[in-house]
Amino acid sequence: DELNAVVGLYGQSRLGEARVATAALTQRYPRCEVTHNIAGVIADAAGAREEAVALYDQAIALAPDYVEA
């Protein structure tokens, strides 16, 4: 599963690869709040705070009741 692969990369601190993978996922699934939230977590861990906030905002816009974002 693509999402589990991204989480695995994140868990291994392979943030560059995880960011590339989440960028592909958010493009492939632009209406999925989960992919945007995970992309935000990874961007934040990589130090890209502004990008992380934008991704969290997108997750919330897609699903206002999504508690994780």
Side-chain angles (χ1 to χ4, degrees):
D1 165 73
E2 295 170 296
L3 204 50
N4 286 331
V6 169
V7 172
L9 290 170
Y10 172 73
Q12 296 170 18
S13 296
R14 294 165 58 186
L15 300 178
E17 292 172 76
R19 289 185 75 193
V20 170
T22 55
L25 283 176
T26 56
Q27 286 188 5
R28 193 171 309 128
Y29 305 105
R31 308 273 319 142
C32 179
E33 70 278 1
V34 175
T35 58
H36 284 82
N37 185 62
I38 291 173
V41 169
I42 292 169
D44 189 35
R49 305 274 189 260
E50 289 181 24
E51 180 183 348
V53 170
L55 288 159
Y56 293 141
D57 286 345
Q58 286 178 306
I60 292 167
L62 290 167
D65 295 329
Y66 184 59
V67 180
E68 296 297 320

